[in-house]
Amino acid sequence: MTEQTAPPADVAVEDAVPATTTLPPVPEGPPPPSVREEGPAPAAPRPPRRVLRAVLRWTAAVLVMGGLGAGTAAGITSMERTDVPGLATRDDGRWDYPALTLPALPADAPRPFSDSNLAEVHHADLRRLLVPTPAGATEIKGLDGGWVDTARYVAEYGKGDRAALTQHLNDSALRHIAARGWTMPDGTSSRVYLLQFNSVAYSTAFHDEIYEHQSLDSLPIPLDGSTEPVFDEDWTATAGAEFTTAHVYSEPEPYGPEQSRYAYVLAGDTVALIVHSRKGEAGTAAVPFHQTLILQNQLLG
């Protein structure tokens, strides 16, 4: 490594540069941009007064409509559907039934139509499977939702048919009969009977007895005081429960002092009779009758 020696202390640094050395000329750069003297920024153009007034008016309108819309929505959500104009359910004559609830079953007891209940037995208390009483109804004496005897049930039929039906019930394995009845303010009388047998074979046999051992396409034994019924053309099979069989009838005109509508439901070990009757020329309304039948179907199925 070559040793560098510093110049003597008394020699100036500039004297160390040879006199003959000339520095290259510094290249000229671009001329400095001309600097304009800045003044105050020009003011933005002002919108016409008419535009400002229109914007303010529309803003106020949006705010007002937004407030009204929010208040209306809050009011509607706090109202019942039947209180909202245009959304109220049209009154079609339905009765005001309470919500249905299935009764509790004994421990380890299956539902009547579950896969583990091949006998299709209703293990629940039969009285708890009766359709409830609608609002405004008056209970019929002796039909308070409890047990009734055979005589009370066969009294629904003409005198000429009661003896044969009573004998058949006495010979069959009938366990018990639960019944409920009520009258409505319009005069409609409703009766519901549930007959439970020891097996499906017995319930089916009695169901056939109602049809006088004929095919199920024939008409049943008429009720007391009614003429021979006809099939209810307004009833559809899809309206019933999935596991029940319902046969629905009405008494055609002329039906005398009162008209009857009734149906039989075969649900496993149980046979149900649902009756609506009403005096007067107006007859018995179809809508509440079908409503009662559907609800009873649901409880049995």
Side-chain angles (χ1 to χ4, degrees):
M1 181 173 181
T2 306
E3 183 179 356
Q4 295 181 355
T5 57
D10 55 346
V11 178
V13 175
E14 54 270 18
D15 294 338
V17 179
T20 58
T21 303
T22 59
L23 296 175
V26 179
E28 294 183 359
S34 57
V35 179
R36 297 176 57 184
E37 186 175 354
E38 294 185 359
R46 298 177 62 183
R49 291 179 178 272
R50 288 179 299 174
V51 175
L52 287 176
R53 285 197 298 268
V55 171
L56 291 176
R57 282 199 301 268
W58 278 107
T59 302
V62 169
L63 292 176
V64 171
M65 294 302 294
L68 290 176
T72 303
I76 289 179
T77 55
S78 64
M79 297 171 66
E80 296 292 337
R81 178 180 178 86
T82 53
D83 296 333
V84 181
L87 294 181
T89 303
R90 181 175 59 87
D91 183 11
D92 57 1
R94 298 181 202 180
W95 292 345
D96 185 12
Y97 278 99
L100 298 183
T101 56
L102 289 173
L105 293 173
D108 301 325
R111 291 290 175 190
F113 300 104
S114 63
D115 294 338
S116 60
N117 191 349
L118 299 180
E120 298 180 350
V121 174
H122 288 82
H123 291 286
D125 187 331
L126 197 66
R127 294 167 294 183
R128 299 286 306 280
L129 294 178
L130 283 166
V131 65
T133 303
T138 302
E139 181 182 289
I140 296 177
K141 185 178 180 180
L143 299 179
D144 57 359
W147 305 120
V148 297
D149 57 16
T150 302
R152 183 65 183 84
Y153 170 75
V154 299
E156 292 289 344
Y157 301 91
K159 293 181 179 180
D161 297 310
R162 295 174 189 175
L165 290 174
T166 300
Q167 186 63 46
H168 187 94
L169 289 172
N170 291 339
D171 293 341
S172 67
L174 175 66
R175 296 178 58 188
H176 36 228
I177 304 174
R180 171 169 286 135
W182 64 89
T183 56
M184 295 298 287
D186 67 352
T188 301
S189 172
S190 305
R191 288 96 68 198
V192 179
Y193 299 88
L194 303 183
L195 292 78
Q196 189 173 30
F197 298 82
N198 277 348
S199 70
V200 175
Y202 283 110
S203 63
T204 303
F206 178 73
H207 186 265
D208 293 347
E209 178 72 14
I210 295 296
Y211 293 87
E212 300 178 297
H213 299 290
Q214 300 177 32
S215 68
L216 296 184
D217 291 333
S218 64
L219 298 174
I221 300 173
L223 297 183
D224 185 33
S226 66
T227 59
E228 186 172 286
V230 296
F231 289 102
D232 189 341
E233 297 181 354
D234 294 329
W235 175 263
T236 60
T238 56
E242 180 179 359
F243 301 103
T244 64
T245 301
H247 301 279
V248 189
Y249 308 94
S250 63
E251 187 180 3
E253 296 182 359
Y255 42 74
E258 70 175 12
Q259 183 197 28
S260 295
R261 295 179 183 268
Y262 53 98
Y264 291 96
V265 176
L266 178 60
D269 64 346
T270 301
V271 175
L273 170 63
I274 298 95
V275 184
H276 280 200
S277 59
R278 183 186 178 190
K279 295 181 180 180
E281 297 181 357
T284 305
V287 170
F289 170 65
H290 292 163
Q291 181 190 13
T292 304
L293 177 54
I294 289 173
L295 295 179
Q296 186 59 71
N297 252 342
Q298 292 176 351
L299 288 167
L300 290 175

